[in-house]
Amino acid sequence: MNQNLEIIIFSTFLVINLVMGLYFSKGVTTIKEYAVGDRNFSTATIVATLVATWITGEFFFGDIVENYNNGMYMMWAGVRGSLLALLSIGIFFAPRLGEFLGTLSIAESMGSLFGTNVRVVTAISGIIAASGMVAVQFKVAGTVFEYLGISSKYGLIIAGFIITLYSSLGGIKSVTLTDVIQFFTFGTIIPIVGFFILNSLNSLESIQAVLTTNKLFDLGEVFDFSQPKAFYYLVLFFYVAIPGFGPPIFQRIAMAKDVFQVRRSFVIAAITCTFITVSICWISILIYVKQPNLASNDIVKYLVFNNAYPELKILILVSVMAMVMSTADSYINSTSVLVVHDILGPLNVKILGNKLIESRLFSALIGIFSIVLAFREGSLMQMLIGTSSFYMPVVTVPFIMALLGFRSTGKSVLVGMFAGFLTVVLWDYVFFKPFFNLDSLVPAMISNLAVLLSSHYLLRQKGGWVGIKDRTVLELLRHKRARNIREFISEVKTFSLLKVFKANTPSSEA
């Protein structure tokens, strides 16, 4: 395909998203509408924006390379981890989230549980993690532009400007409806790419040979956790499987009508994300079959430039750009709410006197800061894990414990948060990582949990295992589950094969 035509197609996609984002920005008058809308979104819309936020540009690029280099080690950890993370929210945590629906952010919810100081710390942690995520997406966008023959620096700035513009002006409504477009873009293209690459192979025997003879797909070695490599991916699995409740993911929960919609949305999103993730794994396998000796830096380039169908190049780049935009706009929007609603508000700091205008201003500033951050050297994975390390070990642990029914005071939670933060610093930057060769996320979360529980009881803080505030839905689901089990047992006891045959016997001799 002619390069000029590729640029025209790519530019058209960007313009469509920009126009749609700006169009749906009309009618936003309050910060609540900016953050969670009118909470009248359909389940399909929430599923689309949830999947679009979850599947990132780095997710595609990084997983293609990791799957190619590490085979089933990475595939089982990534696929099952993502599935469990989303399913656990939908099935287990959703009935416990009723008291938080309609709140504007995860920080506000943490503040309602543990006080203003915890709210501010949560907001700061969320801002650090979100800025890193947005920067990674912009960095991926620069690579996409580079593959089109445009300077990656200019591409990074162009993508950053477009995403920041519509997400800062429109709020959650613009973000959500553009996410729907972007979801259908990459959700359609990724399986198509896998199909055409499969069609370009001379025989299917080569795939079978790789899966049955290559050590990267030897399940005996992959699940032998006494080996360092297998143990590393076991830890990675736990990291992926633990629901982080990051700012944009929590925002998708808060914008739902009720916990039943949260439940449906996350279960459907889990299945959808698994299908897309498996498709990416399949593409990685096919690339390995076609060319098994590629260097890490050449794997994605081979997919883009050396496939048997040149027309796939622009489809791949558009789908990756859709992933970039759908993740970056969600994080920009949720982060601006953290700044205005959860830092400036509790601290009684007024800049312009209008929270909606302030949110739009800080969305723009966050976008600009992320563009600058994206120019830093370093791998995408290092940048992503480095910033995530200051959120999950700090915020996720006390929030999940609260959902499980353990409520403490702000003092114990702050001590646990500091322990998680300190573990990250000591592990990654002082002593432990050179010896264990593991990222700090899981050890830091364990440290937070241990200090939270011990400080609560040693300092004799109020609370403990007191349960959740709103148990209505949880009790309803438990009664429904018990009724279904009783009905199933009753049907098994009264089952008659003869009655089944009689009921299904054809009424006519013919």
Side-chain angles (χ1 to χ4, degrees), residues 244-274:
F245 291 101
I249 300 301
F250 182 85
Q251 194 179 45
R252 271 71 191 150
I253 295 170
M255 62 194 273
K257 299 172 187 176
D258 51 45
V259 293
F260 296 104
Q261 189 178 43
V262 175
R263 189 180 178 91
R264 291 192 301 272
S265 298
F266 273 85
V267 170
I268 297 171
I271 297 170
T272 307
C273 284
T274 300

PDB file of all heavy atoms in Angstrom, residues 244-274:
ATOM      1  N   GLY A 244      -6.076  -4.229  40.844  1.00  0.00           N
ATOM      2  CA  GLY A 244      -5.414  -3.052  41.408  1.00  0.00           C
ATOM      3  C   GLY A 244      -6.351  -1.928  41.779  1.00  0.00           C
ATOM      4  O   GLY A 244      -5.997  -1.045  42.552  1.00  0.00           O
ATOM      5  N   PHE A 245      -7.562  -1.912  41.202  1.00  0.00           N
ATOM      6  CA  PHE A 245      -8.511  -0.814  41.420  1.00  0.00           C
ATOM      7  C   PHE A 245      -7.837   0.539  41.143  1.00  0.00           C
ATOM      8  O   PHE A 245      -7.906   1.470  41.947  1.00  0.00           O
ATOM      9  CB  PHE A 245      -9.087  -0.844  42.841  1.00  0.00           C
ATOM     10  CG  PHE A 245     -10.008  -2.005  43.097  1.00  0.00           C
ATOM     11  CD1 PHE A 245      -9.558  -3.120  43.781  1.00  0.00           C
ATOM     12  CD2 PHE A 245     -11.311  -1.988  42.631  1.00  0.00           C
ATOM     13  CE1 PHE A 245     -10.393  -4.209  44.014  1.00  0.00           C
ATOM     14  CE2 PHE A 245     -12.155  -3.071  42.858  1.00  0.00           C
ATOM     15  CZ  PHE A 245     -11.698  -4.183  43.546  1.00  0.00           C
ATOM     16  N   GLY A 246      -7.163   0.606  39.984  1.00  0.00           N
ATOM     17  CA  GLY A 246      -6.559   1.862  39.569  1.00  0.00           C
ATOM     18  C   GLY A 246      -7.615   2.925  39.326  1.00  0.00           C
ATOM     19  O   GLY A 246      -8.809   2.611  39.179  1.00  0.00           O
ATOM     20  N   PRO A 247      -7.234   4.189  39.269  1.00  0.00           N
ATOM     21  CA  PRO A 247      -8.205   5.287  39.124  1.00  0.00           C
ATOM     22  C   PRO A 247      -9.209   5.107  37.987  1.00  0.00           C
ATOM     23  O   PRO A 247     -10.414   5.259  38.216  1.00  0.00           O
ATOM     24  CB  PRO A 247      -7.308   6.513  38.919  1.00  0.00           C
ATOM     25  CG  PRO A 247      -6.053   6.173  39.651  1.00  0.00           C
ATOM     26  CD  PRO A 247      -5.857   4.697  39.455  1.00  0.00           C
ATOM     27  N   PRO A 248      -8.787   4.770  36.743  1.00  0.00           N
ATOM     28  CA  PRO A 248      -9.794   4.637  35.685  1.00  0.00           C
ATOM     29  C   PRO A 248     -10.669   3.393  35.815  1.00  0.00           C
ATOM     30  O   PRO A 248     -11.840   3.414  35.438  1.00  0.00           O
ATOM     31  CB  PRO A 248      -8.961   4.582  34.401  1.00  0.00           C
ATOM     32  CG  PRO A 248      -7.628   4.099  34.826  1.00  0.00           C
ATOM     33  CD  PRO A 248      -7.430   4.609  36.213  1.00  0.00           C
ATOM     34  N   ILE A 249     -10.118   2.302  36.361  1.00  0.00           N
ATOM     35  CA  ILE A 249     -10.920   1.095  36.552  1.00  0.00           C
ATOM     36  C   ILE A 249     -11.982   1.339  37.619  1.00  0.00           C
ATOM     37  O   ILE A 249     -13.152   0.965  37.465  1.00  0.00           O
ATOM     38  CB  ILE A 249     -10.026  -0.100  36.936  1.00  0.00           C
ATOM     39  CG1 ILE A 249      -9.002  -0.384  35.824  1.00  0.00           C
ATOM     40  CG2 ILE A 249     -10.881  -1.334  37.209  1.00  0.00           C
ATOM     41  CD1 ILE A 249      -9.617  -0.709  34.477  1.00  0.00           C
ATOM     42  N   PHE A 250     -11.591   1.986  38.706  1.00  0.00           N
ATOM     43  CA  PHE A 250     -12.574   2.324  39.732  1.00  0.00           C
ATOM     44  C   PHE A 250     -13.621   3.284  39.176  1.00  0.00           C
ATOM     45  O   PHE A 250     -14.801   3.213  39.543  1.00  0.00           O
ATOM     46  CB  PHE A 250     -11.895   2.952  40.947  1.00  0.00           C
ATOM     47  CG  PHE A 250     -12.854   3.265  42.057  1.00  0.00           C
ATOM     48  CD1 PHE A 250     -13.198   2.301  42.982  1.00  0.00           C
ATOM     49  CD2 PHE A 250     -13.430   4.525  42.160  1.00  0.00           C
ATOM     50  CE1 PHE A 250     -14.104   2.575  43.997  1.00  0.00           C
ATOM     51  CE2 PHE A 250     -14.340   4.810  43.161  1.00  0.00           C
ATOM     52  CZ  PHE A 250     -14.670   3.836  44.087  1.00  0.00           C
ATOM     53  N   GLN A 251     -13.195   4.184  38.305  1.00  0.00           N
ATOM     54  CA  GLN A 251     -14.132   5.129  37.689  1.00  0.00           C
ATOM     55  C   GLN A 251     -15.212   4.397  36.903  1.00  0.00           C
ATOM     56  O   GLN A 251     -16.383   4.793  36.920  1.00  0.00           O
ATOM     57  CB  GLN A 251     -13.355   6.078  36.770  1.00  0.00           C
ATOM     58  CG  GLN A 251     -14.125   7.307  36.325  1.00  0.00           C
ATOM     59  CD  GLN A 251     -13.267   8.185  35.440  1.00  0.00           C
ATOM     60  OE1 GLN A 251     -12.571   7.708  34.536  1.00  0.00           O
ATOM     61  NE2 GLN A 251     -13.303   9.486  35.692  1.00  0.00           N
ATOM     62  N   ARG A 252     -14.851   3.292  36.235  1.00  0.00           N
ATOM     63  CA  ARG A 252     -15.846   2.486  35.498  1.00  0.00           C
ATOM     64  C   ARG A 252     -16.832   1.820  36.452  1.00  0.00           C
ATOM     65  O   ARG A 252     -17.974   1.586  36.099  1.00  0.00           O
ATOM     66  CB  ARG A 252     -15.156   1.422  34.651  1.00  0.00           C
ATOM     67  CG  ARG A 252     -14.792   1.876  33.249  1.00  0.00           C
ATOM     68  CD  ARG A 252     -13.688   2.856  33.258  1.00  0.00           C
ATOM     69  NE  ARG A 252     -13.478   3.519  31.969  1.00  0.00           N
ATOM     70  CZ  ARG A 252     -13.000   4.747  31.885  1.00  0.00           C
ATOM     71  NH1 ARG A 252     -12.718   5.444  32.971  1.00  0.00           N
ATOM     72  NH2 ARG A 252     -12.796   5.315  30.712  1.00  0.00           N
ATOM     73  N   ILE A 253     -16.369   1.513  37.659  1.00  0.00           N
ATOM     74  CA  ILE A 253     -17.263   0.963  38.674  1.00  0.00           C
ATOM     75  C   ILE A 253     -18.229   2.044  39.161  1.00  0.00           C
ATOM     76  O   ILE A 253     -19.443   1.836  39.241  1.00  0.00           O
ATOM     77  CB  ILE A 253     -16.455   0.402  39.858  1.00  0.00           C
ATOM     78  CG1 ILE A 253     -15.598  -0.795  39.407  1.00  0.00           C
ATOM     79  CG2 ILE A 253     -17.370   0.004  41.012  1.00  0.00           C
ATOM     80  CD1 ILE A 253     -14.604  -1.261  40.450  1.00  0.00           C
ATOM     81  N   ALA A 254     -17.683   3.218  39.471  1.00  0.00           N
ATOM     82  CA  ALA A 254     -18.487   4.290  40.053  1.00  0.00           C
ATOM     83  C   ALA A 254     -19.539   4.840  39.095  1.00  0.00           C
ATOM     84  O   ALA A 254     -20.568   5.353  39.530  1.00  0.00           O
ATOM     85  CB  ALA A 254     -17.562   5.425  40.517  1.00  0.00           C
ATOM     86  N   MET A 255     -19.309   4.728  37.787  1.00  0.00           N
ATOM     87  CA  MET A 255     -20.248   5.283  36.817  1.00  0.00           C
ATOM     88  C   MET A 255     -21.390   4.319  36.489  1.00  0.00           C
ATOM     89  O   MET A 255     -22.303   4.675  35.743  1.00  0.00           O
ATOM     90  CB  MET A 255     -19.506   5.669  35.531  1.00  0.00           C
ATOM     91  CG  MET A 255     -18.837   4.522  34.815  1.00  0.00           C
ATOM     92  SD  MET A 255     -17.654   5.076  33.556  1.00  0.00           S
ATOM     93  CE  MET A 255     -18.725   5.263  32.147  1.00  0.00           C
ATOM     94  N   ALA A 256     -21.379   3.125  37.050  1.00  0.00           N
ATOM     95  CA  ALA A 256     -22.436   2.142  36.786  1.00  0.00           C
ATOM     96  C   ALA A 256     -23.706   2.496  37.562  1.00  0.00           C
ATOM     97  O   ALA A 256     -23.673   3.193  38.579  1.00  0.00           O
ATOM     98  CB  ALA A 256     -21.960   0.749  37.172  1.00  0.00           C
ATOM     99  N   LYS A 257     -24.835   1.975  37.079  1.00  0.00           N
ATOM    100  CA  LYS A 257     -26.124   2.249  37.723  1.00  0.00           C
ATOM    101  C   LYS A 257     -26.230   1.552  39.073  1.00  0.00           C
ATOM    102  O   LYS A 257     -26.746   2.118  40.039  1.00  0.00           O
ATOM    103  CB  LYS A 257     -27.268   1.765  36.820  1.00  0.00           C
ATOM    104  CG  LYS A 257     -27.319   2.442  35.462  1.00  0.00           C
ATOM    105  CD  LYS A 257     -28.362   1.766  34.574  1.00  0.00           C
ATOM    106  CE  LYS A 257     -28.312   2.318  33.160  1.00  0.00           C
ATOM    107  NZ  LYS A 257     -29.240   1.609  32.250  1.00  0.00           N
ATOM    108  N   ASP A 258     -25.778   0.314  39.145  1.00  0.00           N
ATOM    109  CA  ASP A 258     -25.863  -0.463  40.380  1.00  0.00           C
ATOM    110  C   ASP A 258     -24.810  -1.561  40.334  1.00  0.00           C
ATOM    111  O   ASP A 258     -24.110  -1.735  39.326  1.00  0.00           O
ATOM    112  CB  ASP A 258     -27.269  -1.058  40.562  1.00  0.00           C
ATOM    113  CG  ASP A 258     -27.756  -1.818  39.335  1.00  0.00           C
ATOM    114  OD1 ASP A 258     -26.967  -2.611  38.771  1.00  0.00           O
ATOM    115  OD2 ASP A 258     -28.903  -1.622  38.918  1.00  0.00           O
ATOM    116  N   VAL A 259     -24.707  -2.319  41.423  1.00  0.00           N
ATOM    117  CA  VAL A 259     -23.671  -3.350  41.496  1.00  0.00           C
ATOM    118  C   VAL A 259     -23.953  -4.499  40.531  1.00  0.00           C
ATOM    119  O   VAL A 259     -23.018  -5.207  40.122  1.00  0.00           O
ATOM    120  CB  VAL A 259     -23.527  -3.892  42.930  1.00  0.00           C
ATOM    121  CG1 VAL A 259     -22.995  -2.824  43.863  1.00  0.00           C
ATOM    122  CG2 VAL A 259     -24.832  -4.446  43.454  1.00  0.00           C
ATOM    123  N   PHE A 260     -25.205  -4.685  40.162  1.00  0.00           N
ATOM    124  CA  PHE A 260     -25.522  -5.748  39.205  1.00  0.00           C
ATOM    125  C   PHE A 260     -24.944  -5.413  37.827  1.00  0.00           C
ATOM    126  O   PHE A 260     -24.463  -6.291  37.115  1.00  0.00           O
ATOM    127  CB  PHE A 260     -27.039  -5.952  39.118  1.00  0.00           C
ATOM    128  CG  PHE A 260     -27.651  -6.437  40.395  1.00  0.00           C
ATOM    129  CD1 PHE A 260     -28.360  -5.572  41.204  1.00  0.00           C
ATOM    130  CD2 PHE A 260     -27.480  -7.747  40.808  1.00  0.00           C
ATOM    131  CE1 PHE A 260     -28.915  -6.008  42.397  1.00  0.00           C
ATOM    132  CE2 PHE A 260     -28.029  -8.197  41.998  1.00  0.00           C
ATOM    133  CZ  PHE A 260     -28.746  -7.319  42.797  1.00  0.00           C
ATOM    134  N   GLN A 261     -24.981  -4.126  37.466  1.00  0.00           N
ATOM    135  CA  GLN A 261     -24.364  -3.715  36.205  1.00  0.00           C
ATOM    136  C   GLN A 261     -22.842  -3.828  36.285  1.00  0.00           C
ATOM    137  O   GLN A 261     -22.193  -4.214  35.310  1.00  0.00           O
ATOM    138  CB  GLN A 261     -24.764  -2.285  35.847  1.00  0.00           C
ATOM    139  CG  GLN A 261     -24.330  -1.893  34.436  1.00  0.00           C
ATOM    140  CD  GLN A 261     -24.776  -0.494  34.053  1.00  0.00           C
ATOM    141  OE1 GLN A 261     -24.673   0.444  34.840  1.00  0.00           O
ATOM    142  NE2 GLN A 261     -25.271  -0.342  32.835  1.00  0.00           N
ATOM    143  N   VAL A 262     -22.268  -3.511  37.433  1.00  0.00           N
ATOM    144  CA  VAL A 262     -20.829  -3.706  37.639  1.00  0.00           C
ATOM    145  C   VAL A 262     -20.478  -5.174  37.431  1.00  0.00           C
ATOM    146  O   VAL A 262     -19.508  -5.512  36.742  1.00  0.00           O
ATOM    147  CB  VAL A 262     -20.397  -3.252  39.055  1.00  0.00           C
ATOM    148  CG1 VAL A 262     -18.921  -3.588  39.291  1.00  0.00           C
ATOM    149  CG2 VAL A 262     -20.640  -1.774  39.246  1.00  0.00           C
ATOM    150  N   ARG A 263     -21.278  -6.045  38.023  1.00  0.00           N
ATOM    151  CA  ARG A 263     -21.041  -7.486  37.951  1.00  0.00           C
ATOM    152  C   ARG A 263     -21.068  -7.966  36.511  1.00  0.00           C
ATOM    153  O   ARG A 263     -20.142  -8.648  36.050  1.00  0.00           O
ATOM    154  CB  ARG A 263     -22.123  -8.194  38.778  1.00  0.00           C
ATOM    155  CG  ARG A 263     -21.928  -9.685  38.991  1.00  0.00           C
ATOM    156  CD  ARG A 263     -23.098 -10.213  39.823  1.00  0.00           C
ATOM    157  NE  ARG A 263     -23.023 -11.643  40.029  1.00  0.00           N
ATOM    158  CZ  ARG A 263     -22.427 -12.235  41.040  1.00  0.00           C
ATOM    159  NH1 ARG A 263     -21.820 -11.496  41.960  1.00  0.00           N
ATOM    160  NH2 ARG A 263     -22.411 -13.547  41.158  1.00  0.00           N
ATOM    161  N   ARG A 264     -22.129  -7.611  35.783  1.00  0.00           N
ATOM    162  CA  ARG A 264     -22.252  -8.036  34.378  1.00  0.00           C
ATOM    163  C   ARG A 264     -21.117  -7.466  33.531  1.00  0.00           C
ATOM    164  O   ARG A 264     -20.520  -8.172  32.703  1.00  0.00           O
ATOM    165  CB  ARG A 264     -23.612  -7.589  33.819  1.00  0.00           C
ATOM    166  CG  ARG A 264     -24.807  -8.315  34.391  1.00  0.00           C
ATOM    167  CD  ARG A 264     -26.054  -8.019  33.571  1.00  0.00           C
ATOM    168  NE  ARG A 264     -26.349  -6.591  33.525  1.00  0.00           N
ATOM    169  CZ  ARG A 264     -27.097  -5.944  34.424  1.00  0.00           C
ATOM    170  NH1 ARG A 264     -27.629  -6.613  35.439  1.00  0.00           N
ATOM    171  NH2 ARG A 264     -27.329  -4.646  34.304  1.00  0.00           N
ATOM    172  N   SER A 265     -20.824  -6.190  33.727  1.00  0.00           N
ATOM    173  CA  SER A 265     -19.820  -5.515  32.896  1.00  0.00           C
ATOM    174  C   SER A 265     -18.447  -6.161  33.040  1.00  0.00           C
ATOM    175  O   SER A 265     -17.751  -6.413  32.037  1.00  0.00           O
ATOM    176  CB  SER A 265     -19.743  -4.034  33.278  1.00  0.00           C
ATOM    177  OG  SER A 265     -20.968  -3.381  33.057  1.00  0.00           O
ATOM    178  N   PHE A 266     -18.039  -6.455  34.265  1.00  0.00           N
ATOM    179  CA  PHE A 266     -16.698  -6.999  34.479  1.00  0.00           C
ATOM    180  C   PHE A 266     -16.601  -8.454  34.035  1.00  0.00           C
ATOM    181  O   PHE A 266     -15.546  -8.875  33.551  1.00  0.00           O
ATOM    182  CB  PHE A 266     -16.290  -6.838  35.949  1.00  0.00           C
ATOM    183  CG  PHE A 266     -15.661  -5.508  36.248  1.00  0.00           C
ATOM    184  CD1 PHE A 266     -16.454  -4.403  36.527  1.00  0.00           C
ATOM    185  CD2 PHE A 266     -14.289  -5.354  36.233  1.00  0.00           C
ATOM    186  CE1 PHE A 266     -15.886  -3.171  36.794  1.00  0.00           C
ATOM    187  CE2 PHE A 266     -13.702  -4.123  36.491  1.00  0.00           C
ATOM    188  CZ  PHE A 266     -14.514  -3.024  36.774  1.00  0.00           C
ATOM    189  N   VAL A 267     -17.664  -9.211  34.198  1.00  0.00           N
ATOM    190  CA  VAL A 267     -17.625 -10.604  33.736  1.00  0.00           C
ATOM    191  C   VAL A 267     -17.523 -10.646  32.213  1.00  0.00           C
ATOM    192  O   VAL A 267     -16.702 -11.394  31.643  1.00  0.00           O
ATOM    193  CB  VAL A 267     -18.872 -11.367  34.216  1.00  0.00           C
ATOM    194  CG1 VAL A 267     -18.957 -12.737  33.544  1.00  0.00           C
ATOM    195  CG2 VAL A 267     -18.838 -11.541  35.731  1.00  0.00           C
ATOM    196  N   ILE A 268     -18.346  -9.837  31.527  1.00  0.00           N
ATOM    197  CA  ILE A 268     -18.278  -9.794  30.059  1.00  0.00           C
ATOM    198  C   ILE A 268     -16.925  -9.256  29.603  1.00  0.00           C
ATOM    199  O   ILE A 268     -16.326  -9.767  28.648  1.00  0.00           O
ATOM    200  CB  ILE A 268     -19.425  -8.929  29.492  1.00  0.00           C
ATOM    201  CG1 ILE A 268     -20.781  -9.549  29.839  1.00  0.00           C
ATOM    202  CG2 ILE A 268     -19.298  -8.791  27.981  1.00  0.00           C
ATOM    203  CD1 ILE A 268     -21.966  -8.663  29.525  1.00  0.00           C
ATOM    204  N   ALA A 269     -16.428  -8.233  30.296  1.00  0.00           N
ATOM    205  CA  ALA A 269     -15.116  -7.671  29.943  1.00  0.00           C
ATOM    206  C   ALA A 269     -14.007  -8.691  30.137  1.00  0.00           C
ATOM    207  O   ALA A 269     -13.052  -8.744  29.346  1.00  0.00           O
ATOM    208  CB  ALA A 269     -14.840  -6.427  30.787  1.00  0.00           C
ATOM    209  N   ALA A 270     -14.112  -9.527  31.174  1.00  0.00           N
ATOM    210  CA  ALA A 270     -13.099 -10.564  31.412  1.00  0.00           C
ATOM    211  C   ALA A 270     -13.032 -11.534  30.245  1.00  0.00           C
ATOM    212  O   ALA A 270     -11.943 -11.884  29.760  1.00  0.00           O
ATOM    213  CB  ALA A 270     -13.410 -11.313  32.707  1.00  0.00           C
ATOM    214  N   ILE A 271     -14.197 -11.961  29.770  1.00  0.00           N
ATOM    215  CA  ILE A 271     -14.248 -12.896  28.638  1.00  0.00           C
ATOM    216  C   ILE A 271     -13.707 -12.230  27.375  1.00  0.00           C
ATOM    217  O   ILE A 271     -12.933 -12.823  26.617  1.00  0.00           O
ATOM    218  CB  ILE A 271     -15.692 -13.375  28.413  1.00  0.00           C
ATOM    219  CG1 ILE A 271     -16.177 -14.148  29.646  1.00  0.00           C
ATOM    220  CG2 ILE A 271     -15.788 -14.257  27.175  1.00  0.00           C
ATOM    221  CD1 ILE A 271     -17.657 -14.454  29.639  1.00  0.00           C
ATOM    222  N   THR A 272     -14.098 -10.970  27.154  1.00  0.00           N
ATOM    223  CA  THR A 272     -13.659 -10.242  25.965  1.00  0.00           C
ATOM    224  C   THR A 272     -12.154 -10.010  25.978  1.00  0.00           C
ATOM    225  O   THR A 272     -11.468 -10.222  24.967  1.00  0.00           O
ATOM    226  CB  THR A 272     -14.390  -8.890  25.871  1.00  0.00           C
ATOM    227  OG1 THR A 272     -15.803  -9.101  25.953  1.00  0.00           O
ATOM    228  CG2 THR A 272     -14.060  -8.184  24.568  1.00  0.00           C
ATOM    229  N   CYS A 273     -11.622  -9.580  27.119  1.00  0.00           N
ATOM    230  CA  CYS A 273     -10.175  -9.347  27.233  1.00  0.00           C
ATOM    231  C   CYS A 273      -9.392 -10.646  27.044  1.00  0.00           C
ATOM    232  O   CYS A 273      -8.303 -10.639  26.448  1.00  0.00           O
ATOM    233  CB  CYS A 273      -9.847  -8.732  28.594  1.00  0.00           C
ATOM    234  SG  CYS A 273     -10.261  -6.989  28.745  1.00  0.00           S
ATOM    235  N   THR A 274      -9.935 -11.737  27.543  1.00  0.00           N
ATOM    236  CA  THR A 274      -9.268 -13.032  27.365  1.00  0.00           C
ATOM    237  C   THR A 274      -9.190 -13.398  25.893  1.00  0.00           C
ATOM    238  O   THR A 274      -8.149 -13.873  25.409  1.00  0.00           O
ATOM    239  CB  THR A 274     -10.023 -14.128  28.137  1.00  0.00           C
ATOM    240  OG1 THR A 274     -10.046 -13.795  29.529  1.00  0.00           O
ATOM    241  CG2 THR A 274      -9.349 -15.483  27.959  1.00  0.00           C
TER     242      THR A 274
END
